[in-house]
Amino acid sequence: MVFDDRPNRTMTLHLLVWRQPNGQTHGKMVPYTAEGISPDMSFLEMLDVVNEGLIRKGEEPIAFDSDCREGICGSCALVVNGRAHGPDGGTTVCQLHMRRFQNGDTIAIEPWRARAFPVIKDLVVDRSAFDRIIAAGGYTSISVGGAPDANTTLIPKDTVEAAMDAAACIACGACVAQCKNASAALFTGAKISQLALLPQGAAERRRRALRMVRQMDAEGFGSCSWEGQCEAVCPKGIKITNIAKMVREYNRAATTGETS
Amino acid sequence: MGLEYATETKPHVMAPALWEEAPDSRLEARLPSGPLEQKWDRRKFDNRLIAPANRRRHTVIVVGTGLAGASAAAALGEQGYNVLAFFIHDSPRRAHSIAAQGGINAAKNYRNDGDSVYRLFYDTIKGGDYRAREANVYRLAQLSVNIIDQCVAQGVPFAREYGGMLETRSFGGAQVERTFYARGQTGQQLLLGAYQSMMRQVQLGTVTLHPRREMLDLVVVDGQARGIVVRNLLSGQIERYAGHAVLLCTGGYGTAYYLSTNAINSNVTAAWRAHKRGAFFANPCFTQIHPTCIPVSGEHQSKLTLMSESLRNNGRIWVPKKPGDRRPPDEIPEGERDYYLERKYPSFGNLVPRDVASRNAKEVCDEGRGVGESGLAVYLDFKDDISRLGKDVIRARYGNLFEMYERITGEDPYSTPMRIYPAIHYTMGGLWVDYNLMSTIPGLFVLGEANFSDHGANRLGASALMQGLADGYFIAPYTVADYLASARLPEVSPDAEPFRAAAAVVQARIDQLLGVRGDRTAHEIHRELGRVLWDHVGMSRSDAGLRRALTEISQLRQEFWERVIVPGSPDNQNQTLEYAGRVADYLEFAEVLTLDALHRRESCGGHFREESQTPEGEALRDDDHFTYVAAWEFTGVGAPPVLHREALEFEYAHPTQRSYK
Ligand SMILES: Cc1cc2nc3c(=O)[nH]c(=O)nc-3n(C[C@H](O)[C@H](O)[C@H](O)COP(=O)(O)OP(=O)(O)OC[C@H]3O[C@@H](n4cnc5c(N)ncnc54)[C@H](O)[C@@H]3O)c2cc1C
Ligand code: FES
């Protein structure tokens, strides 16, 4: 029973944080002490506390992206002790809570590291490559106005559930950050799978697979070597089978002479 | 108090010093004539058109790419306009719309359970407590049907039944099952649908994205909205963009309260700066408080997390009968628990509307019967339904939510009741727009949560997503075209004087923020502002409290400009500077929010005035004096704004007092 008798302790933590003024200069790990940290705080609220202290001293706070703070917008992107989104698994770093740590722990905090995700400042990286992959074909080419009644095409429940599993991706980029090749196969595969599963996406599935995969390669992401690190850190549990599906879709398109 | 009070006051003659009355307010809503069901068709036919070959010569600036902005940008791009899209995020897909969980309403009547366009219209007007325009709401209900078709065609994976048809559920106490959903991620899937459609236009060259840009001013040339000034959030550069029309789709202002369920970068800045340039702000005091959020755990808290309303379908809300009862919930016997919603509202029980559920939670906590460490929470208990239906059924319905709750609080809701408390969630108020979604500045259109239009004093669950997409996919493309075809729009260059002047204002404000070099952070001051608003302009509002809030807000604003500290420089990414700018705007905006609440001496929807309640303590509307939209005109920071009224007429849905007994 945890009513009212929760230990009212606060923690002191030793942080090592990647600081880099901008993309043109080198960065380094800088030590900070986080004091008075409550176990009820989220990881980002802990960083807020550190930043408030820095601001009061007139120093520049640590830059990091976040917005929804409930695990759905995909903004937050930190490597905590070598693991994208931290030790919990199946969650984003904004949902990680400090009760996961012990008083006195040392925590290393780094940005996503990948050639296709250049650092902008401190822990903020440029993930616009993902938008360009979607722009290459991650949609159905239908315009507003002509859609038939939504129940015209029946879709089996299992199919739509599988599509939803793939569509749950939040484009945070943890898959790329954790992969030793910095591959974006899980991200790209998830969108290709979602639309390939649904009848609405059928008309252009080959063209889509070709174009998205080519864009992914052009952005400088590495290739997949099936180690599954991406799946292990994905906060939304996107399955590596999406990559297999992507490969099938791509090969089928390439061998049928589809042009993009 | 109560009944007599409401009929005796003459609200329009009170407190002349705090605001001024427009002598002859002729706000032109431009409602089409004719029967309700034909109004939109008539307007569409009367609208002027632009030939396909000419469209690319028209530049439309879209600010914000949430549901409203992304859908508008996609639809206008598809028609061939030259669209420039601006947003503060790194990707359009991160807009706050992504966080909507529950679902989207549509009058499809796939369930054969008595739904219709008219019923959705009626429910929305009634739910909004008769403070919305009939013509707008009817159009919204009509378009709801097209939205679902459009989204399905995009590949939005809405829930389906075994037979392959779309699944729907009842939401927020609605008596028909008209809510479509994609697990607990409906907003995400709808936004991705709109985002992907927009990205297709990016690929085709009709839409150009401008990420990480914050709109800091609207440029008005010869009385028309002709451009914007933005700060490039990476380089710090102040940039100017010209166009033929500007669409503001920048979301709501819930984060004025500091703690809310909104994403932390949500802001009123774009809307407020447009207001300062002449766009009236309507009904700012209509804010919505959501009853089922995870309670505050301490000072450090940066935002509040919503627990889906659907939980109220299977959970029972209670507090101990005795004030100050600190026993753990499982030690409080059945007979000493007060299931207060079931007791007071036997027919709706735990499913009363959001405002009623929220106010009752506050009431029991004010009586000292709140639970948890802070005493600011009530229990939402699943025990009965877990034993009735089994843990597996509950897990199948709410597994994700229960997990999220446990991650945040460290408590397991399967074995101990959840603690919940209300939080600010949505803002019905916003920039005033006419039927064509155009503000009081010609050429400035406002879409989505940023406008005030369709929800009156209270929004029904699952209706915001519907409104954002109706505005963007189906309304703006027609009305913006009509404007572009009818207005005289000489070419302007972003180097013209009005652009330079606006950029200079923006630059001066940034310099001012950096120049104070005080000792208090913007966070601290924002937190204090939030407390003032929550205490006095929150769930329950009174004349004395609101007046006190006005004093405190102006003190805080002064304190901010004397003591705020913003380190770093203006010429690269500076998140402290961005944030301080937003807080500065909230400190100005909070005043008109409070004034609006002060002037509206009735209770309606989310706005509860203690002076206007029935003998049983329920909200009491005052239709004789307040059946209007209050639209505020800016006259200067801290100066009395001018109140314009747009009278509301109800030809079809006749006002009745809501009752959930
Ligand atoms: C937790 C939660 C759950 C919800 N669930 C539901 C639900 O189930 N059903 C429902 O109908 N509604 C729900 N709502 C409400 C609904 O999500 C919102 O009202 C709606 O998504 C708002 O969409 P929008 O397009 O108007 O704005 P937003 O999605 O907020 O988008 C705002 C856009 O403006 C940009 N922007 C903001 N300021 C600036 C600036 N100064 N300069 C440039 N760009 C700027 C942002 O980058 C963003 O692109 C929920 C809300 C919350 C908080
Ligand atoms: S801040 Fe949105 S997912 Fe973490």
Side-chain angles (χ1 to χ4, degrees), chain A residues 3 45 52 67 70 99 121 131 144 149-150 161 191 211, chain B residues 78 89 91 110 149 195-196 203 302-303 326 407 521 573:
Chain A
F3 181 78
E45 286 167 349
E52 286 284 285
D67 198 25
E70 54 185 71
R99 63 180 74 87
K121 183 174 183 174
D131 289 323
V144 180
D149 182 87
E161 292 296 324
K191 188 50 70 183
R211 294 180 55 130
Chain B
E78 285 162 10
H89 295 91
S91 164
Y110 283 160
D149 299 342
Y195 155 76
Q196 288 163 197
Q203 188 76 5
S302 57
K303 76 153 295 194
R326 307 300 287 171
R407 205 174 290 136
T521 67
Q573 189 180 32

PDB file of all heavy atoms in Angstrom, chain A residues 3 45 52 67 70 99 121 131 144 149-150 161 191 211, chain B residues 78 89 91 110 149 195-196 203 302-303 326 407 521 573:
ATOM      1  N   PHE A   3      -0.031   4.616   0.311  1.00  0.00           N
ATOM      2  CA  PHE A   3      -0.836   5.804   0.558  1.00  0.00           C
ATOM      3  C   PHE A   3      -0.154   6.658   1.618  1.00  0.00           C
ATOM      4  O   PHE A   3       0.082   6.198   2.742  1.00  0.00           O
ATOM      5  CB  PHE A   3      -2.224   5.384   1.022  1.00  0.00           C
ATOM      6  CG  PHE A   3      -3.129   6.548   1.289  1.00  0.00           C
ATOM      7  CD1 PHE A   3      -3.732   7.204   0.221  1.00  0.00           C
ATOM      8  CD2 PHE A   3      -3.369   6.997   2.579  1.00  0.00           C
ATOM      9  CE1 PHE A   3      -4.560   8.274   0.456  1.00  0.00           C
ATOM     10  CE2 PHE A   3      -4.202   8.070   2.803  1.00  0.00           C
ATOM     11  CZ  PHE A   3      -4.799   8.710   1.737  1.00  0.00           C
ATOM     12  N   GLU A  45      11.751  16.702 -16.134  1.00  0.00           N
ATOM     13  CA  GLU A  45      11.561  17.676 -15.037  1.00  0.00           C
ATOM     14  C   GLU A  45      12.838  17.795 -14.215  1.00  0.00           C
ATOM     15  O   GLU A  45      13.169  18.874 -13.717  1.00  0.00           O
ATOM     16  CB  GLU A  45      10.370  17.262 -14.169  1.00  0.00           C
ATOM     17  CG  GLU A  45       9.040  17.541 -14.883  1.00  0.00           C
ATOM     18  CD  GLU A  45       7.807  16.898 -14.247  1.00  0.00           C
ATOM     19  OE1 GLU A  45       7.955  16.040 -13.351  1.00  0.00           O
ATOM     20  OE2 GLU A  45       6.693  17.243 -14.671  1.00  0.00           O
ATOM     21  N   GLU A  52      16.921  25.465 -14.509  1.00  0.00           N
ATOM     22  CA  GLU A  52      16.517  26.634 -13.718  1.00  0.00           C
ATOM     23  C   GLU A  52      17.709  27.156 -12.924  1.00  0.00           C
ATOM     24  O   GLU A  52      17.926  28.359 -12.825  1.00  0.00           O
ATOM     25  CB  GLU A  52      15.373  26.266 -12.764  1.00  0.00           C
ATOM     26  CG  GLU A  52      14.029  26.087 -13.429  1.00  0.00           C
ATOM     27  CD  GLU A  52      13.390  27.414 -13.801  1.00  0.00           C
ATOM     28  OE1 GLU A  52      12.894  28.121 -12.913  1.00  0.00           O
ATOM     29  OE2 GLU A  52      13.412  27.729 -15.005  1.00  0.00           O
ATOM     30  N   ASP A  67       7.878  18.305 -25.930  1.00  0.00           N
ATOM     31  CA  ASP A  67       6.643  19.077 -26.063  1.00  0.00           C
ATOM     32  C   ASP A  67       5.477  18.435 -25.306  1.00  0.00           C
ATOM     33  O   ASP A  67       5.051  18.957 -24.284  1.00  0.00           O
ATOM     34  CB  ASP A  67       6.286  19.284 -27.536  1.00  0.00           C
ATOM     35  CG  ASP A  67       5.293  20.428 -27.719  1.00  0.00           C
ATOM     36  OD1 ASP A  67       5.252  21.321 -26.859  1.00  0.00           O
ATOM     37  OD2 ASP A  67       4.556  20.447 -28.720  1.00  0.00           O
ATOM     38  N   GLU A  70       4.127  13.344 -22.817  1.00  0.00           N
ATOM     39  CA  GLU A  70       3.376  12.147 -22.470  1.00  0.00           C
ATOM     40  C   GLU A  70       3.589  11.033 -23.486  1.00  0.00           C
ATOM     41  O   GLU A  70       2.739  10.162 -23.641  1.00  0.00           O
ATOM     42  CB  GLU A  70       1.901  12.435 -22.216  1.00  0.00           C
ATOM     43  CG  GLU A  70       1.147  13.154 -23.297  1.00  0.00           C
ATOM     44  CD  GLU A  70      -0.282  13.468 -22.847  1.00  0.00           C
ATOM     45  OE1 GLU A  70      -0.486  14.338 -21.972  1.00  0.00           O
ATOM     46  OE2 GLU A  70      -1.196  12.837 -23.370  1.00  0.00           O
ATOM     47  N   ARG A  99      12.187   7.803 -10.018  1.00  0.00           N
ATOM     48  CA  ARG A  99      12.208   6.719  -9.045  1.00  0.00           C
ATOM     49  C   ARG A  99      12.963   5.512  -9.601  1.00  0.00           C
ATOM     50  O   ARG A  99      13.286   4.591  -8.868  1.00  0.00           O
ATOM     51  CB  ARG A  99      10.778   6.341  -8.612  1.00  0.00           C
ATOM     52  CG  ARG A  99       9.872   5.802  -9.668  1.00  0.00           C
ATOM     53  CD  ARG A  99       8.495   5.465  -9.074  1.00  0.00           C
ATOM     54  NE  ARG A  99       7.719   6.668  -8.787  1.00  0.00           N
ATOM     55  CZ  ARG A  99       6.929   7.275  -9.688  1.00  0.00           C
ATOM     56  NH1 ARG A  99       6.798   6.792 -10.902  1.00  0.00           N
ATOM     57  NH2 ARG A  99       6.265   8.361  -9.362  1.00  0.00           N
ATOM     58  N   LYS A 121      22.234  21.725 -31.437  1.00  0.00           N
ATOM     59  CA  LYS A 121      22.771  22.342 -30.225  1.00  0.00           C
ATOM     60  C   LYS A 121      22.579  21.367 -29.072  1.00  0.00           C
ATOM     61  O   LYS A 121      21.483  20.800 -28.928  1.00  0.00           O
ATOM     62  CB  LYS A 121      22.022  23.641 -29.934  1.00  0.00           C
ATOM     63  CG  LYS A 121      22.559  24.395 -28.725  1.00  0.00           C
ATOM     64  CD  LYS A 121      21.867  25.739 -28.578  1.00  0.00           C
ATOM     65  CE  LYS A 121      22.479  26.502 -27.419  1.00  0.00           C
ATOM     66  NZ  LYS A 121      21.955  27.861 -27.321  1.00  0.00           N
ATOM     67  N   ASP A 131      11.008  13.586 -42.370  1.00  0.00           N
ATOM     68  CA  ASP A 131       9.948  14.250 -43.134  1.00  0.00           C
ATOM     69  C   ASP A 131      10.150  14.026 -44.628  1.00  0.00           C
ATOM     70  O   ASP A 131       9.192  13.832 -45.378  1.00  0.00           O
ATOM     71  CB  ASP A 131       9.925  15.759 -42.845  1.00  0.00           C
ATOM     72  CG  ASP A 131       9.419  16.067 -41.443  1.00  0.00           C
ATOM     73  OD1 ASP A 131       8.496  15.366 -40.988  1.00  0.00           O
ATOM     74  OD2 ASP A 131       9.940  17.003 -40.806  1.00  0.00           O
ATOM     75  N   VAL A 144      -8.622  16.002 -51.191  1.00  0.00           N
ATOM     76  CA  VAL A 144      -9.853  16.255 -50.458  1.00  0.00           C
ATOM     77  C   VAL A 144     -11.011  16.366 -51.436  1.00  0.00           C
ATOM     78  O   VAL A 144     -10.888  17.028 -52.465  1.00  0.00           O
ATOM     79  CB  VAL A 144      -9.749  17.567 -49.655  1.00  0.00           C
ATOM     80  CG1 VAL A 144     -11.045  17.816 -48.880  1.00  0.00           C
ATOM     81  CG2 VAL A 144      -8.567  17.517 -48.719  1.00  0.00           C
ATOM     82  N   ASP A 149     -17.820   6.805 -49.363  1.00  0.00           N
ATOM     83  CA  ASP A 149     -18.265   6.571 -47.993  1.00  0.00           C
ATOM     84  C   ASP A 149     -17.302   5.614 -47.291  1.00  0.00           C
ATOM     85  O   ASP A 149     -16.832   4.628 -47.865  1.00  0.00           O
ATOM     86  CB  ASP A 149     -19.671   5.971 -47.979  1.00  0.00           C
ATOM     87  CG  ASP A 149     -20.150   5.777 -46.556  1.00  0.00           C
ATOM     88  OD1 ASP A 149     -20.712   6.722 -45.995  1.00  0.00           O
ATOM     89  OD2 ASP A 149     -19.907   4.687 -45.975  1.00  0.00           O
ATOM     90  N   ALA A 150     -17.024   5.938 -46.035  1.00  0.00           N
ATOM     91  CA  ALA A 150     -15.968   5.245 -45.307  1.00  0.00           C
ATOM     92  C   ALA A 150     -16.209   3.755 -45.165  1.00  0.00           C
ATOM     93  O   ALA A 150     -15.264   2.981 -45.020  1.00  0.00           O
ATOM     94  CB  ALA A 150     -15.806   5.882 -43.929  1.00  0.00           C
ATOM     95  N   GLU A 161      -5.848  -3.789 -37.269  1.00  0.00           N
ATOM     96  CA  GLU A 161      -5.053  -3.783 -36.035  1.00  0.00           C
ATOM     97  C   GLU A 161      -3.564  -3.864 -36.370  1.00  0.00           C
ATOM     98  O   GLU A 161      -2.738  -3.184 -35.762  1.00  0.00           O
ATOM     99  CB  GLU A 161      -5.452  -4.959 -35.120  1.00  0.00           C
ATOM    100  CG  GLU A 161      -6.864  -4.850 -34.533  1.00  0.00           C
ATOM    101  CD  GLU A 161      -7.069  -3.661 -33.597  1.00  0.00           C
ATOM    102  OE1 GLU A 161      -6.126  -3.316 -32.858  1.00  0.00           O
ATOM    103  OE2 GLU A 161      -8.162  -3.055 -33.617  1.00  0.00           O
ATOM    104  N   LYS A 191       5.955   2.688 -41.943  1.00  0.00           N
ATOM    105  CA  LYS A 191       4.993   3.425 -42.795  1.00  0.00           C
ATOM    106  C   LYS A 191       4.668   2.628 -44.055  1.00  0.00           C
ATOM    107  O   LYS A 191       3.511   2.537 -44.467  1.00  0.00           O
ATOM    108  CB  LYS A 191       5.558   4.808 -43.136  1.00  0.00           C
ATOM    109  CG  LYS A 191       4.608   5.746 -43.851  1.00  0.00           C
ATOM    110  CD  LYS A 191       3.234   5.874 -43.185  1.00  0.00           C
ATOM    111  CE  LYS A 191       3.228   6.619 -41.864  1.00  0.00           C
ATOM    112  NZ  LYS A 191       1.877   6.645 -41.238  1.00  0.00           N
ATOM    113  N   ARG A 211      10.297   4.545 -53.740  1.00  0.00           N
ATOM    114  CA  ARG A 211      10.661   5.946 -53.496  1.00  0.00           C
ATOM    115  C   ARG A 211      11.104   6.180 -52.060  1.00  0.00           C
ATOM    116  O   ARG A 211      12.049   6.927 -51.796  1.00  0.00           O
ATOM    117  CB  ARG A 211       9.482   6.851 -53.844  1.00  0.00           C
ATOM    118  CG  ARG A 211       9.178   6.830 -55.334  1.00  0.00           C
ATOM    119  CD  ARG A 211       8.013   7.725 -55.619  1.00  0.00           C
ATOM    120  NE  ARG A 211       8.314   9.054 -55.105  1.00  0.00           N
ATOM    121  CZ  ARG A 211       8.168  10.157 -55.821  1.00  0.00           C
ATOM    122  NH1 ARG A 211       7.748  10.106 -57.049  1.00  0.00           N
ATOM    123  NH2 ARG A 211       8.450  11.329 -55.291  1.00  0.00           N
TER     124      ARG A 211
ATOM    125  N   GLU B  78      -3.508  21.168 -52.753  1.00  0.00           N
ATOM    126  CA  GLU B  78      -4.116  20.306 -53.775  1.00  0.00           C
ATOM    127  C   GLU B  78      -4.818  21.130 -54.850  1.00  0.00           C
ATOM    128  O   GLU B  78      -4.855  20.758 -56.014  1.00  0.00           O
ATOM    129  CB  GLU B  78      -5.136  19.355 -53.119  1.00  0.00           C
ATOM    130  CG  GLU B  78      -4.478  18.223 -52.341  1.00  0.00           C
ATOM    131  CD  GLU B  78      -5.432  17.565 -51.345  1.00  0.00           C
ATOM    132  OE1 GLU B  78      -6.644  17.850 -51.372  1.00  0.00           O
ATOM    133  OE2 GLU B  78      -4.938  16.764 -50.517  1.00  0.00           O
ATOM    134  N   HIS B  89       7.560  23.592 -34.313  1.00  0.00           N
ATOM    135  CA  HIS B  89       8.187  22.289 -34.110  1.00  0.00           C
ATOM    136  C   HIS B  89       9.222  21.987 -35.182  1.00  0.00           C
ATOM    137  O   HIS B  89       9.298  22.679 -36.188  1.00  0.00           O
ATOM    138  CB  HIS B  89       7.095  21.217 -34.111  1.00  0.00           C
ATOM    139  CG  HIS B  89       6.154  21.350 -32.967  1.00  0.00           C
ATOM    140  ND1 HIS B  89       5.000  22.089 -33.052  1.00  0.00           N
ATOM    141  CD2 HIS B  89       6.213  20.883 -31.714  1.00  0.00           C
ATOM    142  CE1 HIS B  89       4.373  22.049 -31.881  1.00  0.00           C
ATOM    143  NE2 HIS B  89       5.089  21.327 -31.051  1.00  0.00           N
ATOM    144  N   SER B  91       9.128  19.125 -36.804  1.00  0.00           N
ATOM    145  CA  SER B  91       8.341  18.464 -37.852  1.00  0.00           C
ATOM    146  C   SER B  91       6.874  18.791 -37.623  1.00  0.00           C
ATOM    147  O   SER B  91       6.434  18.880 -36.475  1.00  0.00           O
ATOM    148  CB  SER B  91       8.545  16.944 -37.778  1.00  0.00           C
ATOM    149  OG  SER B  91       7.530  16.297 -38.532  1.00  0.00           O
ATOM    150  N   TYR B 110     -23.921   5.103 -38.426  1.00  0.00           N
ATOM    151  CA  TYR B 110     -23.632   3.719 -38.816  1.00  0.00           C
ATOM    152  C   TYR B 110     -24.259   2.718 -37.833  1.00  0.00           C
ATOM    153  O   TYR B 110     -24.403   1.550 -38.137  1.00  0.00           O
ATOM    154  CB  TYR B 110     -22.117   3.480 -38.850  1.00  0.00           C
ATOM    155  CG  TYR B 110     -21.403   4.034 -40.073  1.00  0.00           C
ATOM    156  CD1 TYR B 110     -20.033   4.262 -40.027  1.00  0.00           C
ATOM    157  CD2 TYR B 110     -22.072   4.295 -41.262  1.00  0.00           C
ATOM    158  CE1 TYR B 110     -19.344   4.742 -41.128  1.00  0.00           C
ATOM    159  CE2 TYR B 110     -21.385   4.787 -42.366  1.00  0.00           C
ATOM    160  CZ  TYR B 110     -20.024   5.002 -42.307  1.00  0.00           C
ATOM    161  OH  TYR B 110     -19.339   5.472 -43.392  1.00  0.00           O
ATOM    162  N   ASP B 149     -14.868   9.999 -44.135  1.00  0.00           N
ATOM    163  CA  ASP B 149     -14.575   9.445 -45.468  1.00  0.00           C
ATOM    164  C   ASP B 149     -13.159   9.827 -45.898  1.00  0.00           C
ATOM    165  O   ASP B 149     -12.386   8.994 -46.376  1.00  0.00           O
ATOM    166  CB  ASP B 149     -15.575   9.988 -46.500  1.00  0.00           C
ATOM    167  CG  ASP B 149     -17.013   9.598 -46.175  1.00  0.00           C
ATOM    168  OD1 ASP B 149     -17.205   8.657 -45.392  1.00  0.00           O
ATOM    169  OD2 ASP B 149     -17.933  10.262 -46.695  1.00  0.00           O
ATOM    170  N   TYR B 195      -0.892  15.349 -42.121  1.00  0.00           N
ATOM    171  CA  TYR B 195       0.539  15.618 -42.340  1.00  0.00           C
ATOM    172  C   TYR B 195       1.017  14.942 -43.625  1.00  0.00           C
ATOM    173  O   TYR B 195       1.695  15.535 -44.468  1.00  0.00           O
ATOM    174  CB  TYR B 195       1.303  15.126 -41.112  1.00  0.00           C
ATOM    175  CG  TYR B 195       2.753  14.756 -41.307  1.00  0.00           C
ATOM    176  CD1 TYR B 195       3.727  15.747 -41.433  1.00  0.00           C
ATOM    177  CD2 TYR B 195       3.164  13.425 -41.322  1.00  0.00           C
ATOM    178  CE1 TYR B 195       5.073  15.400 -41.581  1.00  0.00           C
ATOM    179  CE2 TYR B 195       4.490  13.071 -41.462  1.00  0.00           C
ATOM    180  CZ  TYR B 195       5.449  14.055 -41.602  1.00  0.00           C
ATOM    181  OH  TYR B 195       6.762  13.716 -41.742  1.00  0.00           O
ATOM    182  N   GLN B 196       0.620  13.683 -43.802  1.00  0.00           N
ATOM    183  CA  GLN B 196       1.065  12.960 -44.991  1.00  0.00           C
ATOM    184  C   GLN B 196       0.486  13.597 -46.258  1.00  0.00           C
ATOM    185  O   GLN B 196       1.185  13.743 -47.255  1.00  0.00           O
ATOM    186  CB  GLN B 196       0.672  11.479 -44.882  1.00  0.00           C
ATOM    187  CG  GLN B 196       1.535  10.772 -43.843  1.00  0.00           C
ATOM    188  CD  GLN B 196       0.991   9.436 -43.358  1.00  0.00           C
ATOM    189  OE1 GLN B 196       1.418   8.940 -42.334  1.00  0.00           O
ATOM    190  NE2 GLN B 196       0.049   8.852 -44.093  1.00  0.00           N
ATOM    191  N   GLN B 203       6.080  17.509 -51.738  1.00  0.00           N
ATOM    192  CA  GLN B 203       6.764  16.807 -52.821  1.00  0.00           C
ATOM    193  C   GLN B 203       6.358  17.392 -54.181  1.00  0.00           C
ATOM    194  O   GLN B 203       7.182  17.531 -55.074  1.00  0.00           O
ATOM    195  CB  GLN B 203       6.396  15.319 -52.750  1.00  0.00           C
ATOM    196  CG  GLN B 203       7.174  14.437 -53.683  1.00  0.00           C
ATOM    197  CD  GLN B 203       8.587  14.192 -53.158  1.00  0.00           C
ATOM    198  OE1 GLN B 203       8.924  14.615 -52.056  1.00  0.00           O
ATOM    199  NE2 GLN B 203       9.409  13.539 -53.948  1.00  0.00           N
ATOM    200  N   SER B 302       5.702  19.867 -14.613  1.00  0.00           N
ATOM    201  CA  SER B 302       5.752  20.730 -15.789  1.00  0.00           C
ATOM    202  C   SER B 302       4.486  20.656 -16.615  1.00  0.00           C
ATOM    203  O   SER B 302       4.198  21.533 -17.397  1.00  0.00           O
ATOM    204  CB  SER B 302       6.946  20.362 -16.669  1.00  0.00           C
ATOM    205  OG  SER B 302       6.868  19.002 -17.048  1.00  0.00           O
ATOM    206  N   LYS B 303       3.743  19.559 -16.473  1.00  0.00           N
ATOM    207  CA  LYS B 303       2.462  19.475 -17.186  1.00  0.00           C
ATOM    208  C   LYS B 303       1.620  18.403 -16.523  1.00  0.00           C
ATOM    209  O   LYS B 303       2.116  17.618 -15.717  1.00  0.00           O
ATOM    210  CB  LYS B 303       2.670  19.187 -18.664  1.00  0.00           C
ATOM    211  CG  LYS B 303       3.026  17.771 -18.942  1.00  0.00           C
ATOM    212  CD  LYS B 303       2.603  17.355 -20.332  1.00  0.00           C
ATOM    213  CE  LYS B 303       1.113  17.359 -20.507  1.00  0.00           C
ATOM    214  NZ  LYS B 303       0.650  16.687 -21.693  1.00  0.00           N
ATOM    215  N   ARG B 326      -7.855  10.186   6.625  1.00  0.00           N
ATOM    216  CA  ARG B 326      -6.595   9.900   5.941  1.00  0.00           C
ATOM    217  C   ARG B 326      -6.325   8.406   5.772  1.00  0.00           C
ATOM    218  O   ARG B 326      -5.213   8.019   5.425  1.00  0.00           O
ATOM    219  CB  ARG B 326      -5.416  10.539   6.697  1.00  0.00           C
ATOM    220  CG  ARG B 326      -5.568  12.020   6.977  1.00  0.00           C
ATOM    221  CD  ARG B 326      -5.699  12.839   5.720  1.00  0.00           C
ATOM    222  NE  ARG B 326      -4.440  12.966   4.990  1.00  0.00           N
ATOM    223  CZ  ARG B 326      -4.321  13.497   3.777  1.00  0.00           C
ATOM    224  NH1 ARG B 326      -5.392  13.924   3.148  1.00  0.00           N
ATOM    225  NH2 ARG B 326      -3.143  13.587   3.197  1.00  0.00           N
ATOM    226  N   ARG B 407       3.259   4.287 -14.367  1.00  0.00           N
ATOM    227  CA  ARG B 407       4.589   4.828 -14.636  1.00  0.00           C
ATOM    228  C   ARG B 407       4.749   6.208 -13.992  1.00  0.00           C
ATOM    229  O   ARG B 407       5.786   6.542 -13.462  1.00  0.00           O
ATOM    230  CB  ARG B 407       4.798   4.922 -16.146  1.00  0.00           C
ATOM    231  CG  ARG B 407       6.232   4.874 -16.538  1.00  0.00           C
ATOM    232  CD  ARG B 407       6.385   4.823 -18.045  1.00  0.00           C
ATOM    233  NE  ARG B 407       5.961   3.585 -18.635  1.00  0.00           N
ATOM    234  CZ  ARG B 407       5.212   3.504 -19.746  1.00  0.00           C
ATOM    235  NH1 ARG B 407       4.817   4.592 -20.353  1.00  0.00           N
ATOM    236  NH2 ARG B 407       4.865   2.334 -20.224  1.00  0.00           N
ATOM    237  N   THR B 521      13.365  33.482 -12.999  1.00  0.00           N
ATOM    238  CA  THR B 521      13.203  32.815 -14.293  1.00  0.00           C
ATOM    239  C   THR B 521      11.765  32.972 -14.784  1.00  0.00           C
ATOM    240  O   THR B 521      10.836  33.174 -13.998  1.00  0.00           O
ATOM    241  CB  THR B 521      13.523  31.313 -14.185  1.00  0.00           C
ATOM    242  OG1 THR B 521      12.534  30.689 -13.365  1.00  0.00           O
ATOM    243  CG2 THR B 521      14.888  31.072 -13.573  1.00  0.00           C
ATOM    244  N   GLN B 573      19.919  29.180 -31.399  1.00  0.00           N
ATOM    245  CA  GLN B 573      18.789  28.582 -30.693  1.00  0.00           C
ATOM    246  C   GLN B 573      18.844  29.000 -29.226  1.00  0.00           C
ATOM    247  O   GLN B 573      19.863  28.841 -28.562  1.00  0.00           O
ATOM    248  CB  GLN B 573      18.827  27.054 -30.804  1.00  0.00           C
ATOM    249  CG  GLN B 573      17.546  26.455 -30.254  1.00  0.00           C
ATOM    250  CD  GLN B 573      17.510  24.938 -30.332  1.00  0.00           C
ATOM    251  OE1 GLN B 573      18.538  24.273 -30.237  1.00  0.00           O
ATOM    252  NE2 GLN B 573      16.325  24.386 -30.494  1.00  0.00           N
TER     253      GLN B 573
END
